Amino acid sequence: GAGVSQTPSNKVTEKGKYVELRCDPISGHTALYWYRQSLGQGPEFLIYFQGTGAADDSGLPNDRFFAVRPEGSVSTLKIQRTERGDSAVYLCASSLLGLAGRRITDTQYFGPGTRLTVL
Amino acid sequence: DQQVKQNSPSLSVQEGRISILNCDYTNSMFDYFLWYKKYPAEGPTFLISISSIKDKNEDGRFTVFLNKSAKHLSLHIVPSQPGDSAVYFCAAGGSQGNLIFGKGTKLSVKP
């Protein structure tokens, strides 16, 4: 398929451990977004990449969270010293143009998410 | 403080009737709005959008209405079908890259 893919689909870890969540955006999409969805909530913005650079990381909750996109395609969200409150579905989305395009027509396409459970 | 609010967590509608999902926002700097639909274990899927310079956008059975003075938008689905049963998220965007989402409304369309 040509959609956004995320791995793993489920991740169970213990409090204090380090986790990495991977996102493969749609080929050719320059913009990539990470959101987090807690139970009963809508997706909440974490970070946005335009190409390889983080254009906006204002949504990252603290310095335990970090994300990279070294080649402007695949992105990895990294969480250090996980806490139970980090348990959520982590969603990745990509769009064709990002800041280079007209926002309303630059649809964000979401992946299925990674469900992270911190015990 | 929530910038995008969906005050109805759930809505139940009979097949063939109209479904109306509502959304309110507080930030007048938003310049476009979207509706996403989400099935369990899947990511949100884009449904329809509207620019702040318009008051209506229609796509097949789906119509979004925007009332800027009231900072309110609604999604109308006519006629509703059982396959429309899902969680619907209202989202708003502005000059920044990210979207601000509401908490969602779970729509159940009963045959």
Side-chain angles (χ1 to χ4, degrees):
Chain A
V4 178
S5 63
Q6 292 186 245
T7 54
S9 55
N10 280 284
K11 176 70 177 178
V12 180
T13 191
E14 293 179 344
K15 180 175 178 294
K17 299 289 188 183
Y18 167 83
V19 297
E20 290 189 353
L21 311 179
R22 177 187 167 109
C23 172
D24 280 87
I26 293 172
S27 178
H29 278 196
T30 62
L32 185 146
Y33 314 78
W34 284 98
Y35 293 83
R36 175 169 73 173
Q37 185 176 12
S38 301
L39 195 63
Q41 305 293 317
E44 293 179 331
F45 169 72
L46 296 176
I47 186 170
Y48 157 48
F49 286 91
Q50 184 76 27
T52 60
D56 183 354
D57 65 357
S58 62
L60 294 177
N62 51 60
D63 61 5
R64 295 187 297 106
F65 288 75
F66 188 70
V68 295
R69 195 186 185 201
E71 297 178 358
S73 178
V74 170
S75 176
T76 305
L77 178 66
K78 308 179 181 193
I79 312 174
Q80 298 177 323
R81 305 182 304 279
T82 52
E83 299 178 357
R84 292 194 179 90
D86 298 335
S87 297
V89 175
Y90 288 81
L91 293 163
C92 176
S94 71
S95 69
L96 183 61
L97 297 172
L99 287 172
R102 185 163 167 262
R103 311 319 317 286
I104 190 174
T105 58
D106 194 41
T107 302
Q108 292 186 26
Y109 297 91
F110 282 80
T114 293
R115 180 175 295 280
L116 175 66
T117 303
V118 182
L119 301 176
Chain B
D1 186 32
Q2 271 200 294
Q3 297 188 66
V4 177
K5 300 178 184 179
Q6 293 178 256
N7 291 320
S8 298
S10 63
L11 175 68
S12 183
V13 171
Q14 205 67 33
E15 180 179 7
R17 306 296 288 267
I18 185 171
S19 295
I20 300 176
L21 298 105
N22 293 301
C23 178
D24 297 290
Y25 62 96
T26 57
N27 189 341
S28 57
M29 298 303 290
F30 289 139
D31 56 23
Y32 62 101
F33 304 89
L34 312 93
W35 286 93
Y36 278 80
K37 174 179 178 180
K38 186 180 184 303
Y39 293 117
E42 295 183 10
T45 302
F46 170 73
L47 198 55
I48 192 169
S49 63
I50 187 167
S51 165
S52 61
I53 63 173
K54 295 190 173 183
D55 55 17
K56 177 182 176 181
N57 187 28
E58 190 172 354
D59 183 3
R61 297 186 298 114
F62 303 91
T63 303
V64 56
F65 295 92
L66 176 62
N67 182 334
K68 280 187 68 177
S69 61
K71 294 191 176 69
H72 176 84
L73 64 154
S74 61
L75 174 69
H76 293 210
I77 307 173
V78 182
S80 301
Q81 300 173 353
D84 295 331
S85 297
V87 177
Y88 288 78
F89 290 100
C90 170
S95 58
Q96 77 284 3
N98 59 291
L99 298 174
I100 309 295
F101 285 82
K103 290 186 177 184
T105 296
K106 184 176 182 179
L107 174 66
S108 299
V109 180
K110 302 195 180 303

